[in-house]
C-alpha cells in the first residue's frame, strides 16, 4: 500500500500552488502538517487531500475476448432521495451476468443487480436499489 | 466537510486500462470489497485501488509581500536516511524571513527553517529518530543560490 498527500494553496492574486508528499500516515497527520506550514507561507491553505493506493492483481472471470471499451451499465435507485438514479458503468462485463432477451438485448439478472446494489450501498453508505443493467 | 472518492483501475488482455471513479466512498476496505466483487463481473483484471479523501479549508491568510505569489517557491532538498534518496518538496509563496540574502549570491533558505520543514514532513510521514528526513539544502525559485549545510 502507498499513500500520498496534496496541499492546495492560494495566493493574494488568485493563483494556486500545490505541495505533494509521499508516504503520509493519514488525514490527521496531513492536517497537522498543513497547520504547521502557516508561519512559513503568505498563501492560504485551501484544500487537504489524502490518497491511499493498493496495487493488486485480481483476475477477472472468463476468457478475455472483450475490449475494455465494452461497458456494463447499471442503474440504481437512491431510496433516500426518491426519483434520483445513480448510473454505474464497468468495463468488460461478463456475459454470464446477463440474460439475453430477444429484440431487446442483454439485461443484467436481478440477483446480480441486487448484489451490486448491496455492494454500492456498503461502499457509499447510501440506500440503493437495483433498477436495470445492460451492455453498451 | 470532507469529500471522499475511490478509483478502481481495470486492465484488459491487451494491456489497455480503464478507471472507474466513485463518490462518497466510506473507506478503502469497502473499496477493496467492491473491487473483489467487480472482478467476478468482468473479464478484465483489477490492477489498482485508490481511496481519496479531501477537505476544503481556509487556513492562514493570503498576504502581499516580496514573494507573494504561489509562483514563488522555496525549493528544498531533503534526504531519506533509510534509502539515501532525496526528495524535493516545494513551499509556495514562502515568507521573506525564511531566507537570508547573500550579496551577489541571492536568497538562500535558512538552515533552521529547512530543518523545521523536514521535521514537519517527518511527522506527517511517521518518521522518528534516525529515520527522520534530513534537510540538505534550499533555495528560492527565483535564483539558483542554494544553502549548503
Amino acid at each position: 500500500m502507498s499513500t500520498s498527500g496534496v496541499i492546495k494553496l492560494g495566493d493574494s492574486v488568485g493563483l494556486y500552488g500545490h505541495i505533494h508528499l509521499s508516504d503520509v500516515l493519514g488525514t490527521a497527520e496531513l492536517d497537522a502538517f498543513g497547520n504547521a506550514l502557516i508561519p512559513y507561507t503568505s498563501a492560504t491553505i485551501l484544500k487537504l487531500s489524502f490518497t491511499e493506493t493498493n496495487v493488486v492483481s485480481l483476475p477477472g472471470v472468463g476468457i478475455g475476448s472483450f475490449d475494455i471499451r465494452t461497458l456494463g451499465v447499471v442503474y440504481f435507485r437512491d431510496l433516500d432521495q426518491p426519483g434520483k438514479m445513480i448510473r454505474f458503468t464497468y468495463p468488460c462485463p461478463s456475459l454470464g451476468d446477463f440474460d439475453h432477451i430477444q429484440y431487446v438485448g442483454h439485461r443484467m439478472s436481478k440477483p446480480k443487480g441486487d448484489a451490486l446494489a448491496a455492494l454500492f450501498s456498503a461502499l457509499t453508505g447510501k440506500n440503493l436499489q437495483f433498477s436495470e443493467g445492460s451492455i453498451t | 466537510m470532507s469529500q471522499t472518492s475511490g478509483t478502481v483501475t481495470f486492465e484488459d488482455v491487451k494491456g489497455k486500462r480503464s478507471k472507474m471513479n466513485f463518490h462518497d466512498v466510506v473507506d478503502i476496505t469497502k473499496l477493496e470489497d467492491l473491487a473483489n466483487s467487480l472482478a467476478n463481473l468482468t473479464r478484465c483484471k483489477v490492477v489498482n485501488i485508490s481511496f481519496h479523501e479531501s477537505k476544503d479549508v481556509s487556513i492562514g491568510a493570503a498576504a502581499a509581500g516580496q514573494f507573494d505569489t504561489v509562483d514563488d517557491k522555496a525549493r528544498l532538498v531533503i534526504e531519506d536516511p533509510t534509502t539515501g534518496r532525496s526528495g524535493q518538496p516545494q513551499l509556495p509563496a514562502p515568507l521573506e524571513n525564511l531566507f537570508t540574502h547573500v550579496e551577489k549570491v541571492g536568497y538562500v533558505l535558512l538552515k533552521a527553517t529547512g530543518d523545521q520543514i523536514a521535521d514537519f514532513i517527518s511527522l506527517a510521514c511517521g518518521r522518528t529518530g534516525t529515520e527522520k528526513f534530513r534537510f540538505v539544502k534550499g533555495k528560492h525559485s527565483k535564483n539558483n543560490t542554494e544553502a549548503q549545510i
Side-chain angles (χ1 to χ4, degrees):
Chain A
M1 178 181 294
S2 64
T3 60
S4 61
V6 178
I7 296 176
K8 181 181 178 183
L9 302 99
D11 64 19
S12 58
V13 294
L15 295 174
Y16 300 122
H18 298 86
I19 300 172
H20 298 266
L21 294 171
S22 303
D23 304 323
V24 174
L25 280 184
T27 51
E29 288 76 10
L30 192 63
D31 257 26
F33 179 70
N35 278 289
L37 286 182
I38 295 305
Y40 296 89
T41 176
S42 62
T44 303
I45 294 177
L46 299 172
K47 192 167 199 163
L48 302 165
S49 301
F50 174 72
T51 299
E52 208 171 338
T53 300
N54 273 347
V55 176
V56 295
S57 183
L58 305 172
V61 292
I63 298 166
S65 57
F66 273 0
D67 190 284
I68 203 156
R69 288 169 292 188
T70 305
L71 298 176
V73 183
V74 186
Y75 288 91
F76 302 110
R77 283 187 203 91
D78 187 339
L79 297 180
D80 294 329
Q81 295 185 67
K84 185 176 179 186
M85 301 289 281
I86 292 174
R87 183 175 183 266
F88 160 66
T89 61
Y90 66 99
C92 303
S94 174
L95 278 180
D97 298 334
F98 294 81
D99 302 320
H100 186 259
I101 303 170
Q102 201 165 12
Y103 307 122
V104 175
H106 289 90
R107 289 292 177 267
M108 179 171 268
S109 64
K110 189 169 182 316
K112 277 288 178 186
D114 287 344
L116 259 185
L119 270 174
F120 263 73
S121 297
L123 178 75
T124 61
K126 292 178 178 168
N127 190 11
L128 303 177
Q129 183 185 54
F130 171 64
S131 174
E132 63 175 46
S134 58
I135 295 177
T136 62
Chain B
M1 178 71 180
S2 72
Q3 304 97 40
T4 60
S5 62
T7 306
V8 178
T9 306
F10 296 86
E11 187 179 279
D12 70 11
V13 286
K14 294 175 187 167
K16 283 185 184 171
R17 291 193 170 196
S18 175
K19 289 181 177 178
M20 287 174 63
N21 298 305
F22 308 99
H23 297 290
D24 306 325
V25 173
V26 174
D27 57 34
I28 195 166
T29 57
K30 295 287 190 297
L31 199 61
E32 285 168 347
D33 291 345
L34 176 77
N36 274 300
S37 301
L38 288 177
N40 292 321
L41 293 176
T42 174
R43 296 184 169 199
C44 302
K45 267 196 313 189
V46 176
V47 293
N48 201 300
I49 302 167
S50 284
F51 172 73
H52 319 282
E53 186 170 0
S54 64
K55 66 176 181 180
D56 295 323
V57 294
S58 184
I59 311 171
Q66 191 175 357
F67 304 136
D68 61 345
T69 83
V70 291
D71 291 334
D72 294 314
K73 291 184 171 67
R75 290 183 173 156
L76 288 81
V77 176
I78 59 169
E79 187 185 79
D80 179 349
T82 63
T83 62
R85 291 168 58 188
S86 297
Q88 299 184 352
Q90 299 189 20
L91 175 67
L95 297 181
E96 297 157 38
N97 60 11
L98 306 186
F99 300 88
T100 180
H101 187 258
V102 180
E103 192 70 26
K104 296 180 182 174
V105 176
Y107 290 95
V108 295
L109 190 68
L110 297 172
K111 181 183 179 303
T113 303
D115 286 342
Q116 280 176 323
I117 294 175
D119 281 350
F120 296 149
I121 296 173
S122 298
L123 268 176
C125 299
R127 298 294 192 99
T128 56
T130 56
E131 293 187 339
K132 278 171 71 169
F133 294 115
R134 192 175 70 88
F135 171 65
V136 179
K137 58 187 177 182
K139 62 181 180 180
H140 191 276
S141 57
K142 278 192 173 166
N143 60 39
N144 291 320
T145 57
E146 293 176 354
Q148 301 287 346
I149 59 171

